[in-house]
Amino acid sequence: MNEGSGIVSHYAMWHTEPGQFYGLRADMSIWASPNQGTSQESGASLQIYCQDGGNCNLIQVGFHISPSLYHNRDIRFFTYWTKDLKSKGCYNLQCPGFVPASRANLVPGQAMAPPSIYGEQDHYVRLSLNKDPNSGDWVVYRHDLQKPSFLGHFPNKLCPGTRRIQALTGFMNYLKNAHGPPMGSGHFPDYDDKRSAYFKHIQNYNPNGHSSDLLGIPMIKLVDRPDCYRANNLFLEYKNGYMFNYGGPSGCVG
């Protein structure tokens, strides 16, 4: 979501190689950032990069804190898409793109609560983004409720083609020559879910719309500024499935 040369973007992610992929599902821990600057954005998302000829389109869902977008520091559910990574993208319902479902439990831009409490309690949302085998659209569900809630869809034309990269990403954007905000809990990742942001129960979707563990799917770690933000190894945990932790403190420059 780098929207100009004056914006710096950093990532801590695990992603696939390009291939025939159909979507992701994961538990994403929710963390607040009460001291975040007006021009800063931080969050976490499920991302699908879609190769369309010479372009690479992007669709994604997750949560973020973006004072410049909402004029407060609430944690918000968001959607985002861009027709190629060089163009300015579109958040939520700012332009035609993501189509929210009627009676959805979460709508783009809606505040989410409660946040995790460092060292005491983690809170999460379980989201999925996958290609519907019938319509071909990319559907979004929330799964951490009594029953799954259909949140809406990205039309198939926003993510065409058959070669895609899937990513689970902690991210941030801030003004060049300024200091970056915290990522995740604001601490480098360890293996304590009450102190580190995480993606848990990571699953991959097949062409029939069914999800399963990442077993046998090669994944690549990408952390562009490990001096500022980090991700630990992707690992299989008995109760939490495939997962990893990520994050880092505020203060990153450049």
Side-chain angles (χ1 to χ4, degrees):
M1 287 169 290
N2 187 333
E3 298 187 359
S5 59
I7 301 293
V8 174
S9 300
H10 295 310
Y11 304 90
M13 70 167 73
W14 279 88
H15 67 87
T16 65
E17 296 178 345
Q20 294 188 5
F21 294 107
Y22 300 89
L24 286 168
R25 168 174 164 164
D27 297 1
M28 305 162 61
S29 61
I30 301 169
W31 293 89
S33 184
N35 299 316
Q36 191 154 305
T38 301
S39 60
Q40 299 173 332
E41 179 192 16
S42 65
S45 64
L46 306 178
Q47 300 178 323
I48 310 291
Y49 295 85
C50 317
Q51 295 183 356
D52 180 25
N55 293 330
C56 186
N57 300 1
L58 168 66
I59 57 175
Q60 66 176 325
V61 298
F63 69 87
H64 68 167
I65 300 99
S66 180
S68 64
L69 188 61
Y70 305 106
H71 308 293
N72 59 45
R73 291 167 177 79
D74 292 343
I75 309 163
R76 305 261 179 180
F77 170 68
F78 82 98
T79 63
Y80 179 87
W81 69 274
T82 180
K83 64 180 180 179
D84 67 78
L85 297 181
K86 299 177 183 178
S87 299
K88 181 178 179 179
C90 184
Y91 285 98
N92 301 332
L93 308 179
Q94 291 179 329
C95 62
F98 183 79
V99 181
S102 60
R103 299 185 298 276
N105 177 267
L106 278 175
V107 296
Q110 181 177 331
M112 303 173 65
S116 301
I117 303 171
Y118 184 78
E120 297 183 20
Q121 182 64 53
D122 60 305
H123 294 282
Y124 69 90
V125 61
R126 180 178 297 163
L127 298 176
S128 65
L129 170 61
N130 72 284
K131 189 175 180 66
D132 184 88
N134 298 313
S135 68
D137 295 330
W138 290 84
V139 294
V140 179
Y141 279 84
R142 180 178 182 179
H143 299 271
D144 56 295
L145 307 170
Q146 288 185 340
K147 62 179 181 179
S149 175
F150 175 49
L151 304 184
H153 72 274
F154 291 98
N156 180 47
K157 66 181 180 180
L158 298 183
C159 186
T162 58
R163 287 180 62 78
R164 308 179 186 101
I165 295 173
Q166 302 187 154
L168 306 106
T169 305
F171 65 86
M172 62 194 34
N173 302 296
Y174 58 93
L175 289 176
K176 196 173 184 178
N177 299 324
H179 289 183
M183 178 187 287
S185 69
H187 296 262
F188 289 126
D190 56 21
Y191 294 91
D192 185 339
D193 298 336
K194 293 179 175 58
R195 298 190 303 176
S196 295
Y198 61 72
F199 288 87
K200 283 184 181 178
H201 294 291
I202 302 169
Q203 295 192 334
N204 178 68
Y205 279 85
N206 66 19
N208 299 318
H210 300 135
S211 64
S212 59
D213 286 338
L214 295 176
L215 186 65
I217 298 176
M219 299 289 289
I220 301 166
K221 180 164 68 173
L222 174 59
V223 179
D224 70 318
R225 282 292 300 272
D227 56 324
C228 295
Y229 310 109
R230 300 174 189 168
N232 62 11
N233 289 332
L234 184 68
F235 64 99
L236 179 60
E237 207 271 342
Y238 175 69
K239 292 184 179 180
N240 297 317
Y242 283 89
M243 66 171 292
F244 70 93
N245 301 87
Y246 68 93
S250 62
C252 192
V253 179

